[in-house]
mmCIF file of all heavy atoms in Angstrom:
data_model
loop_
_atom_site.group_PDB
_atom_site.id
_atom_site.type_symbol
_atom_site.label_atom_id
_atom_site.label_comp_id
_atom_site.label_asym_id
_atom_site.label_seq_id
_atom_site.Cartn_x
_atom_site.Cartn_y
_atom_site.Cartn_z
ATOM 1 N N THR E 1 3.212 -0.722 6.345
ATOM 2 C CA THR E 1 4.280 -0.934 7.309
ATOM 3 C C THR E 1 5.187 -2.064 6.864
ATOM 4 O O THR E 1 4.902 -2.783 5.907
ATOM 5 C CB THR E 1 3.718 -1.265 8.699
ATOM 6 O OG1 THR E 1 3.086 -2.552 8.660
ATOM 7 C CG2 THR E 1 2.714 -0.215 9.151
ATOM 8 N N ARG E 2 6.298 -2.225 7.592
ATOM 9 C CA ARG E 2 7.214 -3.326 7.303
ATOM 10 C C ARG E 2 6.517 -4.670 7.441
ATOM 11 O O ARG E 2 6.872 -5.626 6.749
ATOM 12 C CB ARG E 2 8.430 -3.261 8.230
ATOM 13 C CG ARG E 2 9.414 -2.149 7.896
ATOM 14 C CD ARG E 2 10.525 -2.066 8.912
ATOM 15 N NE ARG E 2 10.030 -1.639 10.217
ATOM 16 C CZ ARG E 2 10.792 -1.364 11.259
ATOM 17 N NH1 ARG E 2 12.117 -1.466 11.153
ATOM 18 N NH2 ARG E 2 10.255 -0.987 12.403
ATOM 19 N N GLY E 3 5.530 -4.740 8.319
ATOM 20 C CA GLY E 3 4.776 -5.963 8.506
ATOM 21 C C GLY E 3 3.651 -6.169 7.520
ATOM 22 O O GLY E 3 2.961 -7.187 7.574
ATOM 23 N N GLY E 4 3.446 -5.203 6.634
ATOM 24 C CA GLY E 4 2.428 -5.344 5.610
ATOM 25 C C GLY E 4 1.064 -4.781 5.961
ATOM 26 O O GLY E 4 0.110 -4.956 5.196
ATOM 27 N N ASN E 5 0.954 -4.116 7.105
ATOM 28 C CA ASN E 5 -0.307 -3.496 7.460
ATOM 29 C C ASN E 5 -0.532 -2.244 6.623
ATOM 30 O O ASN E 5 0.390 -1.460 6.410
ATOM 31 C CB ASN E 5 -0.339 -3.134 8.939
ATOM 32 C CG ASN E 5 -0.290 -4.357 9.826
ATOM 33 O OD1 ASN E 5 -0.990 -5.340 9.578
ATOM 34 N ND2 ASN E 5 0.530 -4.309 10.865
ATOM 35 N N THR E 6 -1.737 -2.058 6.153
ATOM 36 C CA THR E 6 -2.052 -0.935 5.275
ATOM 37 C C THR E 6 -3.149 -0.066 5.861
ATOM 38 O O THR E 6 -4.007 -0.528 6.608
ATOM 39 C CB THR E 6 -2.486 -1.422 3.887
ATOM 40 O OG1 THR E 6 -3.623 -2.289 4.012
ATOM 41 C CG2 THR E 6 -1.357 -2.178 3.206
ATOM 42 N N LYS E 7 -3.099 1.210 5.499
ATOM 43 C CA LYS E 7 -4.128 2.171 5.861
ATOM 44 C C LYS E 7 -4.386 3.070 4.664
ATOM 45 O O LYS E 7 -3.485 3.324 3.878
ATOM 46 C CB LYS E 7 -3.718 3.012 7.075
ATOM 47 C CG LYS E 7 -3.617 2.247 8.375
ATOM 48 C CD LYS E 7 -3.277 3.177 9.527
ATOM 49 C CE LYS E 7 -3.225 2.425 10.844
ATOM 50 N NZ LYS E 7 -2.892 3.326 11.972
ATOM 51 N N TYR E 8 -5.614 3.548 4.562
ATOM 52 C CA TYR E 8 -5.998 4.372 3.425
ATOM 53 C C TYR E 8 -6.819 5.560 3.864
ATOM 54 O O TYR E 8 -7.577 5.489 4.830
ATOM 55 C CB TYR E 8 -6.819 3.552 2.420
ATOM 56 C CG TYR E 8 -6.087 2.359 1.867
ATOM 57 C CD1 TYR E 8 -6.207 1.114 2.470
ATOM 58 C CD2 TYR E 8 -5.268 2.482 0.754
ATOM 59 C CE1 TYR E 8 -5.521 0.017 1.974
ATOM 60 C CE2 TYR E 8 -4.585 1.391 0.250
ATOM 61 C CZ TYR E 8 -4.712 0.165 0.860
ATOM 62 O OH TYR E 8 -4.029 -0.921 0.363
ATOM 63 N N ALA E 9 -6.651 6.658 3.142
ATOM 64 C CA ALA E 9 -7.538 7.788 3.333
ATOM 65 C C ALA E 9 -8.938 7.402 2.880
ATOM 66 O O ALA E 9 -9.110 6.592 1.969
ATOM 67 C CB ALA E 9 -7.038 8.997 2.540
ATOM 68 N N ASP E 10 -9.934 7.983 3.523
ATOM 69 C CA ASP E 10 -11.314 7.661 3.177
ATOM 70 C C ASP E 10 -11.606 7.916 1.702
ATOM 71 O O ASP E 10 -12.412 7.202 1.088
ATOM 72 C CB ASP E 10 -12.284 8.465 4.043
ATOM 73 C CG ASP E 10 -12.303 8.001 5.487
ATOM 74 O OD1 ASP E 10 -11.875 6.860 5.756
ATOM 75 O OD2 ASP E 10 -12.753 8.775 6.347
ATOM 76 N N SER E 11 -10.948 8.899 1.126
ATOM 77 C CA SER E 11 -11.218 9.273 -0.248
ATOM 78 C C SER E 11 -10.790 8.217 -1.264
ATOM 79 O O SER E 11 -11.276 8.220 -2.395
ATOM 80 C CB SER E 11 -10.536 10.608 -0.578
ATOM 81 O OG SER E 11 -9.139 10.515 -0.390
ATOM 82 N N VAL E 12 -9.885 7.316 -0.877
ATOM 83 C CA VAL E 12 -9.387 6.311 -1.808
ATOM 84 C C VAL E 12 -9.674 4.890 -1.354
ATOM 85 O O VAL E 12 -9.416 3.944 -2.110
ATOM 86 C CB VAL E 12 -7.873 6.468 -2.065
ATOM 87 C CG1 VAL E 12 -7.550 7.890 -2.501
ATOM 88 C CG2 VAL E 12 -7.067 6.094 -0.827
ATOM 89 N N LYS E 13 -10.195 4.720 -0.160
ATOM 90 C CA LYS E 13 -10.454 3.390 0.379
ATOM 91 C C LYS E 13 -11.399 2.614 -0.540
ATOM 92 O O LYS E 13 -12.428 3.120 -0.968
ATOM 93 C CB LYS E 13 -11.032 3.496 1.788
ATOM 94 C CG LYS E 13 -11.151 2.166 2.524
ATOM 95 C CD LYS E 13 -11.549 2.379 3.984
ATOM 96 C CE LYS E 13 -10.480 3.127 4.744
ATOM 97 N NZ LYS E 13 -10.810 3.263 6.184
ATOM 98 N N GLY E 14 -11.018 1.383 -0.818
ATOM 99 C CA GLY E 14 -11.807 0.546 -1.697
ATOM 100 C C GLY E 14 -11.434 0.670 -3.152
ATOM 101 O O GLY E 14 -11.875 -0.148 -3.972
ATOM 102 N N ARG E 15 -10.633 1.674 -3.497
ATOM 103 C CA ARG E 15 -10.228 1.887 -4.880
ATOM 104 C C ARG E 15 -8.726 1.723 -5.088
ATOM 105 O O ARG E 15 -8.299 1.257 -6.140
ATOM 106 C CB ARG E 15 -10.654 3.280 -5.357
ATOM 107 C CG ARG E 15 -12.155 3.522 -5.285
ATOM 108 C CD ARG E 15 -12.541 4.837 -5.949
ATOM 109 N NE ARG E 15 -11.942 5.983 -5.258
ATOM 110 C CZ ARG E 15 -11.059 6.818 -5.813
ATOM 111 N NH1 ARG E 15 -10.667 6.633 -7.073
ATOM 112 N NH2 ARG E 15 -10.577 7.845 -5.120
ATOM 113 N N PHE E 16 -7.938 2.114 -4.096
ATOM 114 C CA PHE E 16 -6.479 2.047 -4.193
ATOM 115 C C PHE E 16 -5.951 0.923 -3.313
ATOM 116 O O PHE E 16 -6.518 0.624 -2.256
ATOM 117 C CB PHE E 16 -5.831 3.356 -3.746
ATOM 118 C CG PHE E 16 -6.069 4.540 -4.645
ATOM 119 C CD1 PHE E 16 -6.941 4.472 -5.724
ATOM 120 C CD2 PHE E 16 -5.418 5.736 -4.398
ATOM 121 C CE1 PHE E 16 -7.160 5.571 -6.547
ATOM 122 C CE2 PHE E 16 -5.625 6.841 -5.211
ATOM 123 C CZ PHE E 16 -6.493 6.760 -6.278
ATOM 124 N N THR E 17 -4.837 0.326 -3.724
ATOM 125 C CA THR E 17 -4.169 -0.702 -2.950
ATOM 126 C C THR E 17 -2.675 -0.430 -2.934
ATOM 127 O O THR E 17 -2.061 -0.283 -3.991
ATOM 128 C CB THR E 17 -4.424 -2.106 -3.528
ATOM 129 O OG1 THR E 17 -5.831 -2.360 -3.591
ATOM 130 C CG2 THR E 17 -3.761 -3.164 -2.651
ATOM 131 N N VAL E 18 -2.099 -0.360 -1.743
ATOM 132 C CA VAL E 18 -0.665 -0.149 -1.607
ATOM 133 C C VAL E 18 0.000 -1.483 -1.275
ATOM 134 O O VAL E 18 -0.548 -2.298 -0.527
ATOM 135 C CB VAL E 18 -0.357 0.920 -0.535
ATOM 136 C CG1 VAL E 18 -0.830 0.481 0.845
ATOM 137 C CG2 VAL E 18 1.130 1.257 -0.518
ATOM 138 N N SER E 19 1.171 -1.721 -1.826
ATOM 139 C CA SER E 19 1.878 -2.972 -1.595
ATOM 140 C C SER E 19 3.378 -2.747 -1.697
ATOM 141 O O SER E 19 3.838 -1.700 -2.170
ATOM 142 C CB SER E 19 1.435 -4.049 -2.590
ATOM 143 O OG SER E 19 1.727 -3.661 -3.919
ATOM 144 N N ARG E 20 4.141 -3.737 -1.245
ATOM 145 C CA ARG E 20 5.599 -3.715 -1.333
ATOM 146 C C ARG E 20 6.087 -4.822 -2.241
ATOM 147 O O ARG E 20 5.484 -5.891 -2.313
ATOM 148 C CB ARG E 20 6.236 -3.902 0.041
ATOM 149 C CG ARG E 20 6.307 -2.677 0.920
ATOM 150 C CD ARG E 20 7.085 -3.026 2.177
ATOM 151 N NE ARG E 20 7.228 -1.894 3.080
ATOM 152 C CZ ARG E 20 8.234 -1.032 3.057
ATOM 153 N NH1 ARG E 20 9.204 -1.149 2.156
ATOM 154 N NH2 ARG E 20 8.286 -0.047 3.941
ATOM 155 N N GLY E 21 7.199 -4.566 -2.919
ATOM 156 C CA GLY E 21 7.858 -5.611 -3.661
ATOM 157 C C GLY E 21 8.558 -6.562 -2.717
ATOM 158 O O GLY E 21 8.764 -6.265 -1.539
ATOM 159 N N ASN E 22 8.953 -7.723 -3.236
ATOM 160 C CA ASN E 22 9.603 -8.728 -2.394
ATOM 161 C C ASN E 22 10.911 -8.235 -1.798
ATOM 162 O O ASN E 22 11.271 -8.626 -0.686
ATOM 163 C CB ASN E 22 9.849 -10.008 -3.194
ATOM 164 C CG ASN E 22 8.570 -10.733 -3.534
ATOM 165 O OD1 ASN E 22 7.560 -10.611 -2.849
ATOM 166 N ND2 ASN E 22 8.609 -11.516 -4.610
ATOM 167 N N ALA E 23 11.612 -7.383 -2.515
ATOM 168 C CA ALA E 23 12.887 -6.861 -2.038
ATOM 169 C C ALA E 23 12.724 -5.761 -1.000
ATOM 170 O O ALA E 23 13.702 -5.320 -0.414
ATOM 171 C CB ALA E 23 13.718 -6.353 -3.208
ATOM 172 N N LYS E 24 11.514 -5.297 -0.789
ATOM 173 C CA LYS E 24 11.176 -4.285 0.214
ATOM 174 C C LYS E 24 11.775 -2.917 -0.072
ATOM 175 O O LYS E 24 11.790 -2.056 0.806
ATOM 176 C CB LYS E 24 11.584 -4.748 1.618
ATOM 177 C CG LYS E 24 10.999 -6.088 2.043
ATOM 178 C CD LYS E 24 9.489 -6.028 2.142
ATOM 179 C CE LYS E 24 8.923 -7.334 2.673
ATOM 180 N NZ LYS E 24 7.438 -7.305 2.742
ATOM 181 N N ASN E 25 12.273 -2.719 -1.261
ATOM 182 C CA ASN E 25 12.796 -1.416 -1.637
ATOM 183 C C ASN E 25 11.932 -0.742 -2.703
ATOM 184 O O ASN E 25 12.322 0.287 -3.248
ATOM 185 C CB ASN E 25 14.237 -1.522 -2.115
ATOM 186 C CG ASN E 25 14.372 -2.311 -3.402
ATOM 187 O OD1 ASN E 25 13.497 -3.092 -3.768
ATOM 188 N ND2 ASN E 25 15.490 -2.100 -4.098
ATOM 189 N N THR E 26 10.787 -1.332 -2.968
ATOM 190 C CA THR E 26 9.855 -0.786 -3.934
ATOM 191 C C THR E 26 8.450 -0.809 -3.351
ATOM 192 O O THR E 26 8.048 -1.803 -2.741
ATOM 193 C CB THR E 26 9.872 -1.570 -5.256
ATOM 194 O OG1 THR E 26 11.212 -1.638 -5.760
ATOM 195 C CG2 THR E 26 8.994 -0.901 -6.297
ATOM 196 N N VAL E 27 7.740 0.277 -3.514
ATOM 197 C CA VAL E 27 6.364 0.384 -3.042
ATOM 198 C C VAL E 27 5.473 0.709 -4.227
ATOM 199 O O VAL E 27 5.834 1.541 -5.064
ATOM 200 C CB VAL E 27 6.218 1.454 -1.946
ATOM 201 C CG1 VAL E 27 4.808 1.458 -1.377
ATOM 202 C CG2 VAL E 27 7.231 1.225 -0.827
ATOM 203 N N TYR E 28 4.324 0.069 -4.289
ATOM 204 C CA TYR E 28 3.403 0.257 -5.395
ATOM 205 C C TYR E 28 2.084 0.838 -4.914
ATOM 206 O O TYR E 28 1.686 0.665 -3.761
ATOM 207 C CB TYR E 28 3.121 -1.076 -6.098
ATOM 208 C CG TYR E 28 4.356 -1.777 -6.613
ATOM 209 C CD1 TYR E 28 4.944 -2.808 -5.888
ATOM 210 C CD2 TYR E 28 4.931 -1.400 -7.819
ATOM 211 C CE1 TYR E 28 6.075 -3.450 -6.355
ATOM 212 C CE2 TYR E 28 6.066 -2.042 -8.293
ATOM 213 C CZ TYR E 28 6.630 -3.064 -7.559
ATOM 214 O OH TYR E 28 7.750 -3.701 -8.028
ATOM 215 N N LEU E 29 1.419 1.512 -5.814
ATOM 216 C CA LEU E 29 0.066 1.985 -5.561
ATOM 217 C C LEU E 29 -0.782 1.619 -6.762
ATOM 218 O O LEU E 29 -0.616 2.186 -7.844
ATOM 219 C CB LEU E 29 0.026 3.495 -5.322
ATOM 220 C CG LEU E 29 -1.353 4.060 -4.945
ATOM 221 C CD1 LEU E 29 -1.760 3.567 -3.552
ATOM 222 C CD2 LEU E 29 -1.363 5.579 -4.993
ATOM 223 N N GLN E 30 -1.666 0.650 -6.576
ATOM 224 C CA GLN E 30 -2.598 0.264 -7.617
ATOM 225 C C GLN E 30 -3.830 1.136 -7.496
ATOM 226 O O GLN E 30 -4.499 1.132 -6.466
ATOM 227 C CB GLN E 30 -2.979 -1.211 -7.487
ATOM 228 C CG GLN E 30 -3.980 -1.697 -8.526
ATOM 229 C CD GLN E 30 -3.419 -1.685 -9.927
ATOM 230 O OE1 GLN E 30 -2.303 -2.134 -10.150
ATOM 231 N NE2 GLN E 30 -4.190 -1.161 -10.871
#
């Protein structure tokens, strides 16, 4: 979310991390 709250599907929880860049126009998936 815009506030930085994250949610994950059970299949990827603990393995994937979603984040936003500082400019808020880029989203990453580690």
Side-chain angles (χ1 to χ4, degrees):
T1 68
R2 287 175 293 186
N5 295 315
T6 58
K7 293 183 178 180
Y8 300 93
D10 289 340
S11 59
V12 307
K13 188 172 296 184
R15 301 188 297 117
F16 292 7
T17 303
V18 63
S19 62
R20 279 185 179 270
N22 291 334
K24 304 296 185 182
N25 66 340
T26 306
V27 185
Y28 303 99
L29 184 68
Q30 179 66 46

